[in-house]
Amino acid sequence: MQWILATTEEPPAWFIQLVRQYAPASSSGLFAAQLLWQRGIQDKSQLAAFLNHKTYQAASPFEFGQEMHLAMARLQQARQAGDKVAIWGDFDADGITSTSVLWDGLGQFFTQHQQLTYYIPNRLKESHGLNETGINNLAAQDCKLIVTCDTGSTNIDEIIYAQHLGIDVIVTDHHTLPAERPPVTAIINPRYLAKEHPLYNLSGVAVAYKLVEALYQTLPDIPQDPLENLLDLVAVGLIADLVQLSGDCRYLAQLGIQRLQTDLQQPPALRRRPGVGRLLELCQKSGDRPTDISFGLGPRINAVSRIQGDASFCVELLTSRDIKRCSELAEVTELANTRRKSLQKDVQTQVNQKLTQLDLSTTSVIVLEDPQWPAGVLGLVAGQVAQETGRPTILLSTEGNGELARGSARSINSVDLYQLVKDQAYLLHRFGGHPYAAGLSLPVENIPLFRDAINQQLRQSLGGINLTPTVQADIVVTVADLGKELFLELKLLEPCGMGNPVPKLFIKNCWFENTWHRNQQDSQGKKVQYIKTDFDIRDDSTRNPFPGIWWGHYKEELPVGKCDCIAELDYNTFKKRYEIRLIAVRSSENSTPQTQHSANILDWRNLSASLVPNSPSLILEECPTHWDDLRAWWRRSLYNHQQLALAWSKPNHQPPKEIWLTLVGIAKYLSRTNQLVTRVQILEKLGISDRALFLGIKALKYWGFIVTRQDRHLQFTWNSSNVLETKGDVAVAEFLAAVSEEQFQQQYFAEVPLSTIVAMVNQI
């Protein structure tokens, strides 16, 4: 594993003073200021909005535009007509909390269990999204309206099927959009908004909350409970779903954690969420930290469907006021999580055995299958393997009738897994997901073909990229720095998540004492195959040791003697102590972590031309479409001893179909006027690459155009007898796919954090 240490940029004194105003009185604020500065929070207004939610202006739910108005109209109609309404949720933590938010929120307007019901698919029998069996069940109950949450955007066939049964559909979701608007009454999905919009990164639960917020504003005299009572559920779903916590996501998470903590301070009999409180007690968390959700509540809610399939009772767990019932459900949930840990450990061991038979030097994508693996935990294990190997990982279970394999895929940062799997759709039965994770099923007989095809595609798209896994540390500390002051200072950055990860600390020349490990126990005292090592960490900065834990590892795995480690600082509510959570460790005999050369890379992206400084730097103005392109420029800057300035602007893309029509229009005009054109002129007009233009000209030839070269110019003529429509359609599809891929890559390079760019170009 390659260790990377983020460049420690010294923030200016005025910025440190600003941060100190927010930091605990006993703290210098220097570490927090350094982290905030490194993460792009570099002026007073940014800092205030980031650290103090009271200064943040939340976006209106009606910024979803006409779609939200259509949803409000249909919900009002349902209320007036007495239509039966069904919430269609999903079985993961985001889907369960989304369903719970709609159950409580819409329950202010529709009588629960009479006019309002909910349906959650069984993970082990059904897939994500709408399905005909469930729709038939709702039709039999005389349901007239389905409101989805965290799902539904691409279920075109199922939506049409529901309409044939007389059921309207309102979709609330945050997943990938279909090519055209689905035939729904309304669709509330932030993917329709600009990427810069503060609502763009909302998770499913936050979109559901925005729907309820809009209904509260539309019919303000009806609800009896404050809208804010839903925010604790919103925070649980947001943080458990690992969305980027910026804009309204961060704001809602901040408010929700406060709301959760306020409720937990009440005696159990007075709590609004006794089920949440009991679940936190069982996992020994207090509920005031995002990690209490990401390591406590989230995994437990997810575990129910992974082990039992049916997670419907989790909605009751999160929303019921019946203390006895909630306690029973919380204990069932805790036992499911214990079982999940044990299964996950077993599968991890089996996967590791299979990995020893693979040559990772020739493997770009790990694809493994086994008839005994339970499908519910494959995504978790695939995520572990991807992180440890630096390779996208797909694990498949062939249990059951043996004809269809089902599994999960997890990616590493630089690989768009969704696109990678989508390109093999001809071998698949079903698939869905996003760039970091996907679920899929395929005929067992297709697995060898799928493995070869997906490996070949990734090798071609990444070229000679080094897939060595990396771990990045943010700041350098000593053991003497560890403790309450540093913890409270780093807590300023919470809630952490994608785009704002938990700070990772690099501790050099340390050693471990009092090491011991044991199997974890479930709530009934039974041991499970899930290991945790406890230790004390020491270095020369202090005589006092500091406690820590290392999940999933034995004490023998800790190096003997001096070593370096990367860790996160945490507070253990159960033991009432500050401790580190070990992320990576190695002997100090190894080289020190590679420092990122971010000082040699200037980020001038999206600056207007008038603001780009005059500089002797090597300036890259054209947005790349491939890491190899960027690495070539990086090597050139190193050779010339120059800084590399990234100066491309965010692309303003035309839809691929419009680009194709423009190319056809150019060809028609040139054939009619007999004018010549250069390849560069066409590229500038269309904003595409040479490869895409080559495919475009290939497609034009099937549509009757003859393209000839005269010196450096191209001449277009048209002959109707040369039209081959079938081949032409295929060629046009190849052109559109190539343009779409280029646009996706350019969009990625326009927004990818500088820290990621630095890490990737250093993998030469």
Side-chain angles (χ1 to χ4, degrees), residues 141-209:
Q141 299 173 46
D142 198 29
C143 173
K144 298 299 181 186
L145 174 64
I146 292 174
V147 181
T148 77
C149 49
D150 193 36
T151 195
S153 291
T154 56
N155 291 134
I156 309 299
D157 292 341
E158 292 80 5
I159 290 166
I160 294 172
Y161 182 76
Q163 289 177 335
H164 287 161
L165 296 179
I167 302 175
D168 292 332
V169 179
I170 295 173
V171 168
T172 75
D173 193 10
H174 70 123
H175 291 104
T176 306
L177 294 170
E180 298 179 0
R181 182 187 182 275
V184 291
T185 299
I187 177 167
I188 316 298
N189 190 321
R191 301 297 170 188
Y192 283 114
L193 302 172
K195 287 195 174 182
E196 306 79 30
H197 197 286
L199 297 177
Y200 181 79
N201 290 308
L202 294 187
S203 70
V205 69
V207 178
Y209 175 81

Side-chain angles (χ1 to χ4, degrees), residues 431-646:
F431 77 96
H434 54 74
Y436 302 105
L440 68 159
S441 60
L442 73 163
V444 172
E445 62 187 18
N446 286 357
I447 293 176
L449 285 172
F450 175 75
R451 180 186 290 112
D452 292 344
I454 203 166
N455 267 277
Q456 181 179 2
Q457 183 187 338
L458 187 58
R459 278 194 295 270
Q460 290 174 347
S461 61
L462 293 183
I465 188 173
N466 179 7
L467 288 173
T468 303
T470 61
V471 58
Q472 176 176 313
D474 298 297
I475 51 176
V476 180
V477 300
T478 64
V479 173
D481 293 321
L482 302 174
K484 181 178 180 179
E485 287 186 16
L486 179 59
F487 174 82
L488 293 176
E489 191 174 321
L490 299 182
K491 200 171 186 288
L492 290 176
L493 278 78
E494 293 183 354
C496 293
M498 285 178 60
N500 178 43
V502 175
K504 290 184 172 52
L505 316 177
F506 176 57
I507 307 170
K508 189 173 177 58
N509 290 326
C510 57
W511 62 92
F512 298 99
E513 298 176 348
N514 302 324
T515 60
W516 63 290
H517 64 246
R518 63 183 174 87
N519 288 88
Q520 291 298 99
Q521 294 181 339
D522 63 25
S523 58
Q524 298 178 349
K526 296 179 181 178
K527 289 185 178 182
V528 295
Q529 297 304 310
Y530 201 75
I531 299 297
K532 181 184 74 169
T533 290
D534 289 77
F535 57 79
D536 288 332
I537 187 172
R538 300 281 297 267
D539 71 3
D540 293 327
S541 67
T542 176
R543 294 182 178 180
N544 299 320
F546 194 80
I549 57 173
W550 197 16
W551 286 101
H553 292 271
Y554 295 92
K555 66 179 184 180
E556 288 81 10
E557 296 178 64
L558 289 170
V560 177
K562 290 286 185 76
C563 61
D564 303 333
C565 72
I566 296 175
E568 296 173 359
L569 183 58
D570 197 12
Y571 180 71
N572 187 320
T573 307
F574 180 66
K575 293 185 177 180
K576 299 191 184 311
R577 71 176 191 184
Y578 297 94
E579 63 187 18
I580 61 167
R581 185 166 52 246
L582 197 59
I583 304 298
V585 62
R586 67 184 185 189
S587 171
S588 289
E589 297 171 2
N590 294 327
S591 59
T592 56
Q594 175 182 348
T595 301
Q596 293 182 343
H597 297 292
S598 59
N600 292 325
I601 301 182
L602 305 174
D603 193 355
W604 295 347
R605 289 175 292 174
N606 303 313
L607 288 181
S608 64
S610 60
L611 295 177
V612 174
N614 291 323
S615 168
S617 305
L618 183 61
I619 299 177
L620 177 53
E621 295 180 332
E622 185 175 342
C623 185
T625 59
H626 200 287
W627 284 112
D628 285 347
D629 299 338
L630 197 50
R631 286 194 186 89
W633 281 85
W634 172 237
R635 286 192 289 266
R636 181 175 160 191
S637 71
L638 292 177
Y639 181 80
N640 294 325
H641 303 290
Q642 292 176 292
Q643 289 179 307
L644 176 62
L646 313 181

Side-chain angles (χ1 to χ4, degrees), residues 670 674-679 681 706-717:
L670 294 173
N674 205 30
Q675 292 186 33
L676 301 179
V677 68
T678 67
R679 179 184 54 81
Q681 287 173 320
I706 301 170
V707 184
T708 55
R709 184 179 297 276
Q710 294 187 17
D711 295 328
R712 295 185 178 181
H713 292 80
L714 300 175
Q715 183 177 37
F716 290 77
T717 54

Side-chain angles (χ1 to χ4, degrees), residues 338-399:
T338 302
R339 175 68 176 147
R340 185 271 305 171
K341 286 183 180 179
S342 185
L343 282 176
Q344 184 179 340
K345 186 71 176 177
D346 290 343
V347 174
Q348 179 78 55
T349 301
Q350 294 168 30
V351 169
N352 288 340
Q353 290 172 347
K354 289 179 182 284
L355 285 174
T356 61
Q357 301 168 23
L358 280 183
D359 182 359
L360 289 181
S361 66
T362 61
T363 303
S364 300
V365 184
I366 294 170
V367 181
L368 298 172
E369 78 275 1
D370 192 280
Q372 303 301 320
W373 288 342
V377 299
L378 293 186
L380 299 171
V381 179
Q384 289 178 301
V385 175
Q387 289 300 314
E388 291 169 4
T389 63
R391 285 155 176 76
T393 299
I394 301 171
L395 300 181
L396 300 165
S397 173
T398 57
E399 65 178 345

Side-chain angles (χ1 to χ4, degrees), residues 403-443:
E403 294 179 4
L404 207 61
R406 295 180 60 209
S408 295
R410 294 294 183 269
S411 188
I412 53 174
N413 289 338
S414 58
V415 178
D416 181 354
L417 184 66
Y418 179 82
Q419 188 62 44
L420 197 62
V421 174
K422 182 181 177 183
D423 288 343
Q424 321 307 322
Y426 65 99
L427 294 170
L428 303 177
H429 173 248
R430 293 188 69 166
F431 77 96
H434 54 74
Y436 302 105
L440 68 159
S441 60
L442 73 163

